[in-house]
């Protein structure tokens, strides 16, 4: 897979940045499993920053080659009880993979914006 092919398939997003859209669901990700390592190599050779939304990644995910090729993994979750527990379980399940990454893993909580005085 030629890294230039990524740019050919990019579409401009709302802010103008080029975006290559992903697959509709985990079934499609599994169906193209043999292509994930080549896509990870193409992303690494693209010569620019590549941001990948790895979705609900877990230890058996077909798209783990994208995570393995990452310089940094940022895990984003909402600060709700369910999301915190879910995130903790996923991070524990991927601990061995994350320990082998060249860079660290960041964890970011994203909450709804509120105005001062809102309860």
């Amino acid at each position: 897979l030629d890294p230039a092919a990524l740019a050919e398939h990019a579409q401009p997003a709302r802010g103008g940045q080029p975006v290559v859209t992903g697959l509709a669901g985990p079934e499609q990700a599994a169906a193209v499993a043999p292509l994930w390592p080549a896509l990870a190599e193409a992303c690494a050779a693209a010569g620019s920053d590549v941001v990948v939304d790895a979705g609900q990644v877990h230890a058996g995910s077909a798209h783990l080659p994208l995570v393995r090729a990452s310089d940094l993994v940022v895990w984003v979750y909402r600060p709700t009880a369910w999301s915190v527990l879910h995130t903790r379980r996923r991070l524990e399940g991927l601990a061995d993979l994350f320990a082998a990454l060249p860079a660290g893993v960041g964890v970011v909580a994203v909450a709804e914006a509120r105005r001062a005085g809102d309860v």
Side-chain angles (χ1 to χ4, degrees):
L1 180 62
D2 180 9
L6 292 174
E8 293 172 13
H9 292 282
Q11 303 169 21
R14 186 179 301 172
Q17 65 275 22
V19 173
V20 176
T21 59
L23 302 171
E27 297 82 12
Q28 288 182 333
V32 298
L35 300 176
W36 289 115
L39 182 59
E41 289 178 23
C43 288
S48 61
D49 291 336
V50 176
V51 177
V52 175
D53 178 351
Q56 296 290 326
V57 68
H58 55 83
S61 295
H63 57 288
L64 276 180
L66 288 173
V67 177
R68 285 188 188 100
S70 299
D71 293 323
L72 176 65
V73 173
V74 178
W75 199 278
V76 180
Y77 70 99
R78 299 224 179 260
T80 64
W82 182 90
S83 186
V84 169
L85 291 173
H86 177 75
T87 298
R88 179 179 176 182
R89 273 186 253 131
R90 289 291 169 101
L91 292 173
E92 289 171 348
L94 294 167
D96 291 341
L97 170 69
F98 291 154
L101 291 179
V105 176
V107 181
V108 177
V110 178
E112 296 291 326
R114 294 187 181 176
R115 294 185 311 215
D118 288 348
V119 178

